[in-house]
Amino acid sequence: MQLGAMQDWSLRVTRFIDHAAREHGGREIVSRWADGSESRTTWAGIRHDAMRMAQKLAKLGIKPGDRVATLAMNHHRHLVTWYGAVGVGGVLHTINPRLFDEQLDYIANHAEDRVMLFDAAFAPIVERMKPRWKTIEHYVCFDSSDPAEHFEDWIATEDGKGEWADGDERDPCMLCYTSGTTGNPKGVLYEHRSTVLHAMTAMTPQVFGMDCRTVALPIVPMFHAASWGLPWAGAAAGAKFVYSAVNEASVLCELMEREKVTTSAGVPTVWLSLLQHIDAQGKDIPADLHTVVCGGSAMPRAMIQRFMKAGRRVAHAWGMTETSPIGTTGTETSNWDELSFDEQVTIKAMQGRVPFGVELRCVDLDDYSKVLPRDGKSSGALQVRGPWVVGRYFKAENPATDADNWFDTGDVAVLHPDGTLQLTDRTKDVIKSGGEWISSVELENAAIGFPGVAEAAAIGVYHPRWDERPLLVVVKKPGADVCPDALREYLGTHVAKWWLPDAVAFVDEIPHTGTGKISKKDLRDQFRDWQWSA
Amino acid sequence: MQLGAMQDWSLRVTRFIDHAAREHGGREIVSRWADGSESRTTWAGIRHDAMRMAQKLAKLGIKPGDRVATLAMNHHRHLVTWYGAVGVGGVLHTINPRLFDEQLDYIANHAEDRVMLFDAAFAPIVERMKPRWKTIEHYVCFDSSDPAEHFEDWIATEDGKGEWADGDERDPCMLCYTSGTTGNPKGVLYEHRSTVLHAMTAMTPQVFGMDCRTVALPIVPMFHAASWGLPWAGAAAGAKFVYSAVNEASVLCELMEREKVTTSAGVPTVWLSLLQHIDAQGKDIPADLHTVVCGGSAMPRAMIQRFMKAGRRVAHAWGMTETSPIGTTGTETSNWDELSFDEQVTIKAMQGRVPFGVELRCVDLDDYSKVLPRDGKSSGALQVRGPWVVGRYFKAENPATDADNWFDTGDVAVLHPDGTLQLTDRTKDVIKSGGEWISSVELENAAIGFPGVAEAAAIGVYHPRWDERPLLVVVKKPGADVCPDALREYLGTHVAKWWLPDAVAFVDEIPHTGTGKISKKDLRDQFRDWQWSA
Ligand SMILES: Nc1ncnc2c1ncn2[C@@H]1O[C@H](COP(=O)(O)OP(=O)(O)OP(=O)(O)O)[C@@H](O)[C@H]1O
Ligand SMILES: Nc1ncnc2c1ncn2[C@@H]1O[C@H](COP(=O)(O)OP(=O)(O)OP(=O)(O)O)[C@@H](O)[C@H]1O
Ligand SMILES: [Mg+2]
Ligand SMILES: [Mg+2]
C-alpha cells in the first residue's frame, strides 16, 4: 500500500459535458442552419440530447470502440453527436464531405463505420456512396426527415436518464483522417486521455485563452482536425458556442456582431474572405472579436497586420491531424511590449511556440540522425512528440514514431533560439538542387506578390545536371499579362539567385485537394515529362 | 493490440522544469533575500541546479519516495529544491516554520524526513528541534555556511549532467501538512499526476491565467499548501518569478514596481498590510499588477472593492491543503459586463466556481446522506472530489473519502444555482442551538464592524436548554470602550435575533494557530467552564 493517495479520476471526455451541464448549464449554443433558420440550446440541453443519443446507440448494439461517423457542417446537433458517440463508449469519426469519392470510399470502409449521421445538404453524397460503404448499418439525417430518419425523431424514444459508458482513459474516443494532401488520408485514433490533456491546454492563455466568458465561433469545421479540439475545450471552459452551417462571410460577420463573438478560429482563406467582405461593405471587424486564431496553412503577413492594427490578438497556430491538432501557437513573447509593431508582426508570421506538453526538433533532411541546432537558420525535417501526438496510425502495424517517440511531421522548418517554429515547406515538396534544398513555399510566397499572379506553385522537376530544378506553375489573374523574365527578376529580389525557377509554366488551374490545399502530388504528375529547354 | 494509439507520456512534474528550461530558458527568477541582497537566475539555471541537487541526493542514498524537507521562505534556492527533490524521485516536504514546536516535532518525525534544507533565519528552530527530529540525517543551509553546509557548496560537487528519476505518474512528489487549525496537521501526499493536472488548470484564465508574459510574485509561502501550485504552474507557463524572503509590504511593493509584477497571490492579511502601506505612503497600487489572487480565508468586501475600483482583476479563491489547493476561484461570470459594480463585488466576495475537474456538493449537517439543493440558501457540510483532491491521508489506513470519492472539507457552505460557492463556517465551529445552526463566521464578520472591536470570535458553549449558545469573545482596540448591549443591538441589524450571542466576553488576546488563523479549538478549551448568567 502506498503511504497516501490522491483520488482516482480517469481522464474521460464525457467529464467535459458533465462539467459544462452542471456548472455552465444555461450557457447557450447557437446554431445557424444552412436554410437561414436558427436554433438555440444550452450545455444542459446538449448533455440531455447526447445522453439520449448514447442510449439510442446502445439499443442499436453499438459497442465500445465502434465507429460512429458524421458528414456534417457545424451545428449543435453535430456537437450532440460528439458527446453521444463517445457517451456510449464509441469512437466519433468526423468525415470531411469535401473529399473526393475515392477518399470517402476508402475512409468510411477503412474506419468500418457502423452509423452515419449527415446533413441534408450532403444527401447526394450519401446516395452516391451508399452502395460502396460496406459497413454502415444506420443512416440518420441531422436536419430533414426526407433522406433518412430525422435526428430529433431518432433520439426522441430515449429519456436521457442513462449513464455514460465507463472505460480506460487510454480508450479511443475519436478518429480523424488527415487531409490527404500528400497521399491517401491516414487515420489518427485520439484517446480520451490525449483529448482531455489537449483540451486543458487549449484553454490556457497561450492557446485559445478560454473561460466561461468566451463566445466562440469555430469557423474551422467539426470535420477538420477535430475542429482544433474546440468542442471539448469549450465545454471544459463553459464557453458559449455560435455555430454556422455555412461559411459565407456575410453570415459569419452578422453572427459575430449579434452574438458578441470573442474568439474565432479558422484557416487563412476564410479569414481572407471575411476581411474582403468587411472591406466591400465598408464595415469594421466585429467589435467583440478579440482573439483571432488562424492555422492549417501559413497566415499571410498582411492579414496579421490588419488584425493587429485593429487591436485584435492574433494566434497563428501550427498543427496537424496527428497532433490533435495543437502543436504551436504564435502568441506573445515575454518581451512583447518592447518590440516594434513590425517585429511583432514578424513573430506572428511564424508558427509560434509549443505549449507545455509538446516538444519539437529539426533533423537534417539528408541525415535524419543529425539533430539540427535551434539557430534560426538550419532548416530540416520537423519532428514532434507529446501526449496528444500520434503513436501509431489507425490499423497500422508499425509505430508512426521512432523509438524515442519522435513523429516525423513531413514538414520542413527552422527553429529559432527561443523555440519559435518557422515552417518553410513539406519534405515531399522541398526541391533538391545539386544537393541543396530550395523551399517551394518561399518561392510561391514571393511569386504571389508579383502583379498579375493569382496563384503560384513551385515544384521540383527532374534535371539531368542538378537532379531537380524548380518549375514555377502560375495562374494569371483574369485578363492579366505576366512576363516570365520580369517575374524571375522580381523573385531575385526575394530569394537567392540559385533558387530562381528555371522556367515558368502558365496554367488555367492548379489542382487542389478536398480541403483546398494545393495538390503538389497531382501537379508533379502533370509535369512529370516536362523538358527543360536547353 | 489496439487499433491505433496516441503516445505514452507520463504526467511527471520534472516535465515542467524541462519545458521551462528548454522553451523559456532565459526567463528570469529574481530573489530578494532576508538581508536585502538580491540574486537573479533563469529557468535554465534552476534546472541545472536542480539536477545537481538530484545528483547530490542520489549520492547520499536518497531513494524514490524518500522525504526531503525544507524550512524556508520564498527564494530561488527553495525553488531549486522543489525540482531537485522530485528529480531524484524523492518527495518534497515543505514545513511551515511558524508552527509550534510540538507540531514541528510531530510533522518531521511523522514524515520521516531524511534531509532538511533551511534558511539561516530558522537556524534557531533547527538547533532546538534537532534532538527531537529522529530521522533527519543531513542538514543544509540555503543562505549561510555557518549553521550547516551552504547549499551552493553542497551541490557544487555535481555537474548537472544527469537524468531525472523516472517512475509511475501516480508516484508521490510532495507532502504537505494542513495548517492544524482544527487539530494536529494531517499530511497530504501529492502525486506527480495530480500535480500536473492541477498546474495545467492553474494556467487557465479562470484561475491564474498564466503564460510566458506573466511576472508572478507569490506572496503565499512555498510552505503553505504548495504555494498554491505556483512553482509548478509557473514553469509550465514559462513565467518570470519574483521571490521575496520577507513579507514586508514596503519590500513587496518595491519589487512589484521595479520588476513589473503582473500577478500575485496571498492571504487577505498580507494584502491588507500591502494596502495599508500604500495608503500610508500615498502611493498607488503597483502599476502592472493586473491579477490579485486571494484565498486561505475570506477576502473582505472592502478589499475587493478597492482592487476592482483600481481596475485590477480579483480572483478570490477557496481551497485547502487537501485540494492541492485549488478548489474554486471567484473569477468573472459570463454575464459580468451586465452587472452593476456592487453586484460584481458581491460575486467576488463569495468563493467562486470550480474549474474543470473539481466537483462540489453540500450535505445536510444533521444527516450527511441528504444532498442539499444548490439554491443559494441551504447551508451544509461542503464536500469535494476531483483528480487533485486527497484520497487518503499520509500513513492513514482508511480513505479520507466516502465510497464515491466525496471528501468532507470540514467547511460549511451554501451553493448558489450557478455553482458559486459561499463559505459560511467550519463544521467544528458552527454553533448548534435548539437543533438549528448559527454561523460563527457571520457573527464575527458583523462584530468586526462595531467601533472599538479589534478582533472577535464566536464559539458555541454548552447551554442546558439549547444545547449550545453563542458566546462572543472580543478584543478591544487599544483604549476603546465597548458596551456589550450596544454591540448586541448592532449585531441585531445584521443577523437573526435568535443568533445573537447570549454574552460577550472581553479578553486581551485571542489564540491563533501557527498560520495565523483564530484557534477556536483553544478558545473553546478556554471557555469550557463558562457559566451563562441566569
Ligand atoms: N500555420 C501553418 N502554417 C503553415 N502550414 C501549416 C500551418 N498549420 C498547418 N500547416 C500544414 O498543414 C499540415 C497538417 O494538415 P492536415 O493534418 O490537415 O493534413 P495534410 O498534412 O494536409 O494531409 P496529409 O497528411 O494526408 O498529406 C501540416 O503538416 C502543415 O504542413
Ligand atoms: N477564500 C476562503 N474563504 C474562507 N475560508 C477559506 C478560503 N480559502 C480557504 N479557507 C479556509 O482554509 C481551509 C484550508 O486551510 P488549510 O488547508 O491551510 O488548513 P486548515 O483547514 O486551516 O487546518 P486543519 O485542516 O489542519 O484544521 C479551508 O478548509 C477553509 O476553511
Ligand atoms: Mg500531413
Ligand atoms: Mg482543514
Side-chain angles (χ1 to χ4, degrees):
Chain A
M1 184 155 103
Q2 291 211 120
L3 287 168
M6 302 305 281
Q7 300 194 352
D8 298 332
W9 199 90
S10 61
L11 302 172
R12 298 275 298 184
V13 297
T14 43
R15 295 196 186 269
F16 292 138
I17 188 69
D18 285 344
H19 172 81
R22 194 174 53 235
E23 309 300 340
H24 307 279
R27 198 87 173 113
E28 275 187 317
I29 314 291
V30 181
S31 303
R32 204 270 190 191
W33 297 88
D35 66 4
S37 65
E38 286 186 11
S39 53
R40 306 179 92 88
T41 178
T42 60
W43 279 114
I46 298 289
R47 186 185 186 282
H48 181 70
D49 288 356
M51 184 60 83
R52 291 197 292 157
M53 175 173 164
Q55 292 174 305
K56 185 75 186 193
L57 289 172
K59 279 199 187 147
L60 295 178
I62 301 301
K63 298 259 166 310
D66 284 352
R67 270 76 70 195
V68 175
T70 63
L71 199 67
M73 299 302 290
N74 292 0
H75 49 68
H76 85 265
R77 290 188 196 127
H78 201 170
L79 183 63
V80 167
T81 300
W82 280 51
Y83 287 102
V86 300
V88 73
V91 173
L92 170 76
H93 174 207
T94 49
I95 303 182
N96 182 348
R98 293 178 197 143
L99 293 179
F100 308 120
D101 282 10
E102 314 86 82
Q103 294 175 322
L104 290 170
D105 179 341
Y106 170 77
I107 284 179
N109 285 316
H110 187 253
E112 297 173 68
D113 295 322
R114 293 191 60 192
V115 184
M116 167 70 71
L117 300 106
F118 62 98
D119 284 355
F122 303 129
I125 299 180
V126 171
E127 276 317 302
R128 206 165 64 229
M129 300 305 299
K130 241 179 182 170
R132 299 168 70 176
W133 285 339
K134 305 297 180 200
T135 60
I136 300 178
E137 304 155 39
H138 310 280
Y139 287 90
V140 180
C141 184
F142 277 125
D143 51 349
S144 164
S145 52
D146 181 17
E149 191 172 6
H150 192 295
F151 183 76
E152 295 294 343
D153 299 333
W154 187 61
I155 61 173
T157 52
E158 312 303 316
D159 65 3
K161 287 185 185 126
E163 294 218 329
W164 304 125
D166 202 5
D168 194 272
E169 64 184 37
R170 293 295 301 261
D171 283 349
C173 65
M174 187 168 189
L175 177 61
C176 281
Y177 284 77
T178 61
S179 291
T181 309
T182 57
N184 240 344
K186 293 148 281 191
V188 183
L189 195 65
Y190 302 138
E191 297 167 2
H192 283 264
R193 175 182 163 109
S194 65
T195 305
V196 170
L197 296 174
H198 182 267
M200 291 177 75
T201 300
M203 284 190 281
T204 62
Q206 196 199 321
V207 187
F208 296 112
M210 292 173 95
D211 64 15
C212 71
R213 300 176 76 188
T214 301
V215 181
L217 192 162
I219 315 184
V220 52
M222 292 169 99
F223 54 74
H224 185 215
S227 197
W228 302 356
L230 283 165
W232 312 119
K240 167 177 165 178
F241 271 126
V242 181
Y243 283 124
S244 175
V246 296
N247 272 349
E248 268 164 50
S250 59
V251 174
L252 296 178
C253 271
E254 187 212 308
L255 285 171
M256 285 181 179
E257 276 162 14
R258 173 158 48 83
E259 301 295 333
K260 298 189 191 302
V261 168
T262 63
T263 309
S264 188
V267 295
T269 45
V270 291
W271 285 117
L272 203 64
S273 68
L274 203 98
L275 290 174
Q276 279 164 353
H277 168 79
I278 285 171
D279 289 339
Q281 302 286 312
K283 289 189 177 185
D284 283 332
I285 297 170
D288 298 283
L289 184 70
H290 57 61
T291 301
V292 171
V293 187
C294 183
S297 45
M299 193 177 185
R301 200 180 162 94
M303 192 188 293
I304 295 169
Q305 271 170 333
R306 175 77 185 272
F307 281 117
M308 282 180 56
K309 275 202 179 125
R312 314 312 165 97
R313 182 168 190 241
V314 170
H316 182 189
W318 165 83
M320 48 199 312
T321 310
E322 290 92 335
T323 62
S324 295
I326 295 167
T328 57
T329 46
T331 38
E332 298 72 22
T333 54
S334 56
N335 64 341
W336 194 247
D337 297 333
E338 295 149 31
L339 301 177
S340 69
F341 183 77
D342 264 8
E343 287 168 329
Q344 292 181 339
V345 173
T346 298
I347 286 176
K348 294 273 180 179
M350 296 191 279
Q351 278 75 5
R353 302 201 286 172
V354 293
F356 171 70
V358 180
E359 217 178 317
L360 297 178
R361 70 173 188 186
C362 284
V363 297
D364 195 314
L365 279 170
D366 293 310
D367 173 7
Y368 272 41
S369 73
K370 219 177 110 192
V371 179
L372 298 177
R374 289 185 172 197
D375 56 8
K377 290 190 295 277
S378 310
S379 115
L382 178 68
Q383 304 191 325
V384 61
R385 63 180 179 188
W388 50 84
V389 177
V390 68
R392 185 163 46 79
Y393 284 111
F394 185 64
K395 290 189 174 172
E397 292 192 354
N398 297 316
T401 67
D402 71 12
D404 292 324
N405 268 345
W406 287 109
F407 168 74
D408 195 69
T409 62
D411 286 326
V412 182
V414 168
L415 285 171
H416 289 260
D418 73 347
T420 299
L421 170 70
Q422 186 178 6
L423 233 62
T424 55
D425 213 333
R426 295 199 183 222
T427 45
K428 291 194 177 173
D429 300 337
V430 68
I431 300 158
K432 192 163 191 178
S433 167
E436 302 278 352
W437 298 97
I438 296 171
S439 159
S440 66
V441 172
E442 279 183 51
L443 282 176
E444 292 155 10
N445 286 348
I448 210 83
F450 190 72
V453 174
E455 193 172 18
I459 53 170
V461 172
Y462 172 74
H463 190 287
R465 176 156 174 211
W466 302 107
D467 196 16
E468 267 186 2
R469 284 298 298 162
L471 170 71
L472 189 71
V473 185
V474 167
V475 179
K476 285 184 268 192
K477 285 188 182 156
D481 206 26
V482 175
C483 163
D485 285 341
L487 172 55
R488 281 172 37 89
E489 196 172 315
Y490 171 81
L491 293 178
T493 63
H494 285 80
V495 300
K497 272 272 154 1
W498 65 274
W499 279 33
L500 290 183
D502 288 21
V504 178
F506 294 100
V507 295
D508 290 339
E509 208 181 344
I510 283 176
H512 288 84
T513 68
T515 53
K517 308 192 189 194
I518 292 178
S519 178
K520 299 262 176 101
K521 189 165 52 89
D522 290 335
L523 210 57
R524 275 191 294 265
D525 279 352
Q526 201 173 316
F527 287 93
R528 202 190 349 226
D529 301 324
W530 174 266
Q531 297 293 330
W532 301 107
S533 50
Chain B
M1 183 154 105
Q2 292 211 120
L3 287 168
M6 301 305 281
Q7 300 194 353
D8 297 333
W9 198 89
S10 61
L11 302 172
R12 298 275 298 184
V13 298
T14 42
R15 296 198 185 268
F16 293 137
I17 189 69
D18 285 345
H19 173 81
R22 193 175 52 236
E23 309 299 340
H24 307 279
R27 199 85 174 111
E28 275 187 316
I29 314 291
V30 182
S31 304
R32 205 270 188 192
W33 297 88
D35 66 3
S37 66
E38 286 185 10
S39 52
R40 305 178 93 88
T41 178
T42 60
W43 279 114
I46 299 290
R47 186 185 186 282
H48 181 71
D49 287 358
M51 184 59 84
R52 292 196 292 158
M53 176 173 163
Q55 291 174 307
K56 185 74 186 193
L57 289 171
K59 279 202 186 145
L60 295 178
I62 300 301
K63 298 259 167 310
D66 284 352
R67 271 76 69 195
V68 174
T70 63
L71 200 66
M73 299 302 289
N74 292 1
H75 48 68
H76 85 264
R77 288 187 198 129
H78 201 171
L79 184 63
V80 167
T81 300
W82 280 50
Y83 287 101
V86 300
V88 73
V91 173
L92 170 77
H93 174 207
T94 49
I95 303 182
N96 181 349
R98 294 177 197 144
L99 293 179
F100 309 120
D101 283 9
E102 314 87 81
Q103 294 175 322
L104 290 169
D105 179 340
Y106 171 77
I107 283 179
N109 285 316
H110 187 253
E112 298 174 70
D113 296 322
R114 293 190 59 191
V115 184
M116 168 68 73
L117 299 109
F118 62 98
D119 284 354
F122 303 128
I125 300 180
V126 171
E127 275 318 301
R128 205 164 65 227
M129 299 306 298
K130 241 180 182 169
R132 299 167 70 175
W133 286 336
K134 305 297 180 201
T135 60
I136 299 177
E137 302 155 40
H138 310 280
Y139 287 90
V140 179
C141 183
F142 277 125
D143 51 350
S144 162
S145 52
D146 182 16
E149 191 172 5
H150 193 293
F151 183 76
E152 295 293 343
D153 298 334
W154 187 60
I155 61 172
T157 51
E158 310 306 316
D159 65 3
K161 287 185 187 126
E163 296 219 326
W164 305 125
D166 201 5
D168 194 273
E169 64 184 38
R170 294 294 301 260
D171 283 349
C173 65
M174 186 167 188
L175 177 62
C176 281
Y177 283 77
T178 62
S179 290
T181 309
T182 57
N184 239 342
K186 292 148 284 191
V188 183
L189 196 64
Y190 302 138
E191 296 167 2
H192 283 264
R193 175 181 162 109
S194 65
T195 306
V196 170
L197 295 174
H198 182 267
M200 290 177 76
T201 300
M203 284 190 280
T204 63
Q206 195 197 322
V207 186
F208 295 113
M210 292 173 94
D211 64 15
C212 72
R213 301 175 75 186
T214 301
V215 181
L217 192 163
I219 316 184
V220 52
M222 292 169 98
F223 54 75
H224 184 217
S227 196
W228 303 356
L230 283 165
W232 311 119
K240 167 177 165 177
F241 271 127
V242 181
Y243 282 124
S244 175
V246 295
N247 272 349
E248 268 163 53
S250 58
V251 174
L252 296 178
C253 273
E254 187 212 308
L255 285 172
M256 285 181 179
E257 276 163 15
R258 175 159 47 83
E259 302 294 333
K260 299 188 191 299
V261 168
T262 63
T263 309
S264 188
V267 295
T269 45
V270 290
W271 285 117
L272 203 65
S273 70
L274 202 97
L275 289 174
Q276 280 165 351
H277 168 81
I278 284 171
D279 289 341
Q281 302 285 312
K283 289 191 179 185
D284 285 330
I285 297 170
D288 298 281
L289 185 71
H290 57 61
T291 301
V292 171
V293 187
C294 182
S297 44
M299 193 176 185
R301 202 179 161 93
M303 192 189 293
I304 294 170
Q305 272 169 331
R306 174 75 185 273
F307 281 117
M308 281 179 59
K309 276 203 178 126
R312 315 311 165 97
R313 181 169 190 241
V314 169
H316 182 190
W318 165 82
M320 48 199 310
T321 310
E322 290 92 335
T323 63
S324 295
I326 295 167
T328 58
T329 46
T331 38
E332 299 72 23
T333 54
S334 56
N335 64 342
W336 195 246
D337 297 333
E338 296 148 31
L339 302 177
S340 70
F341 183 77
D342 263 8
E343 288 168 330
Q344 291 181 339
V345 172
T346 298
I347 286 176
K348 293 273 180 178
M350 296 192 279
Q351 279 75 7
R353 301 201 287 172
V354 294
F356 172 69
V358 180
E359 217 178 319
L360 298 178
R361 71 174 188 186
C362 284
V363 297
D364 195 315
L365 279 170
D366 293 311
D367 174 5
Y368 272 42
S369 72
K370 218 177 111 192
V371 179
L372 298 177
R374 288 183 173 199
D375 56 8
K377 290 190 294 277
S378 310
S379 114
L382 179 68
Q383 303 192 322
V384 61
R385 64 180 178 188
W388 50 87
V389 177
V390 69
R392 186 163 45 80
Y393 284 111
F394 186 64
K395 289 188 174 173
E397 293 191 354
N398 297 315
T401 67
D402 71 12
D404 293 323
N405 268 345
W406 287 109
F407 169 75
D408 195 71
T409 63
D411 286 325
V412 182
V414 168
L415 285 171
H416 290 258
D418 73 347
T420 300
L421 171 71
Q422 185 178 7
L423 233 61
T424 56
D425 213 335
R426 295 201 184 221
T427 47
K428 292 196 175 170
D429 300 337
V430 68
I431 300 158
K432 191 163 193 178
S433 168
E436 303 277 353
W437 299 98
I438 297 171
S439 159
S440 66
V441 172
E442 281 184 50
L443 282 176
E444 292 155 11
N445 285 349
I448 210 82
F450 191 71
V453 173
E455 193 171 18
I459 54 170
V461 173
Y462 173 73
H463 190 286
R465 177 157 174 210
W466 302 108
D467 196 16
E468 267 186 5
R469 284 298 298 161
L471 170 71
L472 189 71
V473 185
V474 167
V475 179
K476 286 183 270 192
K477 285 188 182 157
D481 206 22
V482 174
C483 163
D485 285 339
L487 172 54
R488 278 171 41 90
E489 196 171 316
Y490 170 83
L491 292 178
T493 64
H494 286 81
V495 301
K497 271 271 153 3
W498 66 273
W499 279 34
L500 290 183
D502 289 21
V504 177
F506 294 99
V507 295
D508 291 337
E509 207 181 346
I510 284 176
H512 288 85
T513 68
T515 53
K517 308 191 189 194
I518 291 177
S519 179
K520 301 259 176 102
K521 190 166 51 88
D522 290 335
L523 209 56
R524 276 189 294 265
D525 278 352
Q526 201 173 314
F527 286 93
R528 200 186 354 226
D529 303 322
W530 175 266
Q531 297 293 328
W532 301 107
S533 51

